């Protein structure tokens, strides 16, 4: 006699449903025990009946298995974030690489290289860019010339002012030297004259002695 295949759908009979629930629950927990024992697996089963009653089985602890699951989910989220970040970095790297290639090509074209594949419109655009660049270069050069000329003019003005002050100091030094030398010469002449003339009072005494017929005494 073949075993009749049970159709998988909700059992409407309440008693039959409770009996089937008890049998299937015990069989499920038995399979969980065999899986845990044979394969050294850590697992937990939580079952609520239609009446709200809780049934559970765990190889170690239900809370421990749930905490491990949360940790794995957290690590999985980190891995997903790292994968997303890596994907964004790769995308950014690819974009930057393409931009570098494009800018390098534009630079070569502005130097007059790799112009074979350009059409008339692109060549005109490149010509306009070169003209604008040349205009900016000329403006920058003129500005630098003006700045250097102004700096030289300020330097010349400063040198002229320094030269004027040096001349004034030299003239003042010459005047002081002349005054000092002139003063020393006058003093020397006065000293020489004073030492050459004898004292007048000695001559008067000698003349008086001679006139009176008195003997001359030194």
């Amino acid at each position: 006699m073949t075993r009749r295949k049970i159709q998988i759908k909700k059992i409407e009979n309440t008693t039959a449903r409770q009996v089937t629930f008890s049998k299937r629950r015990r069989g499920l927990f038995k399979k969980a025990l065999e899986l845990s024992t044979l394969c050294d697996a850590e697992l937990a089963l939580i079952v609520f009946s239609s009446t709200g009653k809780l049934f559970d089985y765990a190889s170690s602890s239900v809370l421990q298995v749930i905490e491990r699951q949360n940790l794995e989910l957290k690590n999985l989220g980190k891995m997903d974030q790292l994968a997303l970040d890596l994907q964004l970095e790769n995308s950014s790297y690819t974009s930057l690489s393409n931009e570098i290639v494009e800018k390098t090509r534009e630079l070569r074209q502005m130097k007059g290289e790799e112009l074979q594949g350009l059409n008339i419109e692109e060549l005109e655009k490149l010509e306009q860019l070169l003209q604008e660049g040349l205009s900016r270069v000329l403006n920058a050069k003129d500005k630098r010339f003006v700045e250097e000329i102004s700096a030289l003019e300020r330097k010349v003005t400063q040198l002229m002012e320094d030269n004027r002050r040096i001349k004034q100091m030299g003239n003042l030094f010459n005047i002081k030297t002349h005054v000092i030398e002139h003063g020393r010469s006058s003093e020397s002449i006065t000293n020489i004259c004073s030492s050459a003339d004898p004292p007048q009072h000695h001559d008067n005494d000698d003349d008086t002695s001679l006139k009176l017929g008195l003997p001359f005494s030194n």
Side-chain angles (χ1 to χ4, degrees):
M1 183 177 179
T2 59
R3 187 173 181 180
R4 185 170 60 91
K5 186 177 181 180
I6 301 176
Q7 186 178 4
I8 303 301
K9 67 176 183 178
K10 181 181 178 181
I11 301 174
E12 298 297 337
N13 187 279
T14 303
T15 302
R17 187 167 61 241
Q18 290 294 335
V19 172
T20 302
F21 174 77
S22 298
K23 290 180 180 181
R24 295 297 179 96
R25 175 179 54 79
R26 287 194 299 267
L28 180 61
F29 284 179
K30 182 180 179 180
K31 292 296 183 181
L33 175 61
E34 292 174 358
L35 178 62
S36 175
T37 304
L38 295 175
C39 302
D40 193 23
E42 186 177 4
L43 54 88
L45 293 175
I46 300 175
V47 180
F48 287 93
S49 67
S50 59
T51 60
K53 188 174 181 180
L54 171 64
F55 300 90
D56 62 80
Y57 168 80
S59 57
S60 56
S61 170
V62 175
L63 293 178
Q64 182 177 345
V65 175
I66 293 175
E67 289 177 357
R68 183 173 179 179
Q69 180 196 21
N70 294 333
L71 181 61
E72 290 296 327
L73 291 176
K74 185 177 180 180
N75 293 334
L76 182 61
K78 290 182 179 180
M79 293 298 296
D80 292 339
Q81 183 64 36
L82 290 176
L84 180 60
D85 294 341
L86 182 59
Q87 183 178 1
L88 292 175
E89 289 180 0
N90 292 334
S91 178
S92 300
Y93 174 77
T94 303
S95 178
L96 289 176
S97 298
N98 294 334
E99 186 176 356
I100 290 174
V101 172
E102 181 66 22
K103 295 300 181 183
T104 303
R105 185 178 64 85
E106 292 179 359
L107 180 60
R108 289 178 179 176
Q109 290 177 350
M110 294 186 69
K111 293 168 63 177
E113 302 174 0
E114 299 183 4
L115 303 177
Q116 294 79 8
L118 300 180
N119 54 30
I120 299 298
E121 183 179 356
E122 291 174 342
L123 289 173
E124 291 178 351
K125 182 178 180 181
L126 180 61
E127 182 182 6
Q128 183 179 0
L129 290 176
L130 290 174
Q131 290 177 354
E132 293 176 355
L134 179 61
S135 177
R136 288 193 293 269
V137 170
L138 293 176
N139 291 333
K141 186 179 70 173
D142 294 340
K143 183 179 180 182
R144 183 59 58 87
F145 279 153
V146 171
E147 292 176 352
E148 291 182 357
I149 292 173
S150 299
L152 290 174
E153 289 178 349
R154 289 193 297 269
K155 187 174 181 180
V156 170
T157 302
Q158 183 65 35
L159 290 175
M160 293 177 63
E161 181 66 20
D162 294 340
N163 189 24
R164 185 182 63 81
R165 286 199 298 266
I166 291 173
K167 287 183 178 181
Q168 289 180 353
M169 293 176 63
N171 294 334
L172 182 61
F173 177 77
N174 292 332
I175 292 173
K176 289 183 177 180
T177 303
H178 178 72
V179 170
I180 292 173
E181 290 178 353
H182 181 72
R184 287 180 178 176
S185 299
S186 301
E187 184 179 359
S188 300
I189 294 172
T190 304
N191 292 334
I192 292 173
C193 293
S194 299
S195 60
D197 295 336
Q200 295 296 326
H201 63 277
H202 294 294
D203 294 340
N204 293 332
D205 292 340
D206 294 340
D207 293 340
T208 305
S209 299
L210 291 174
K211 289 178 181 181
L212 295 177
L214 297 177
F216 176 77
S217 59
N218 294 328

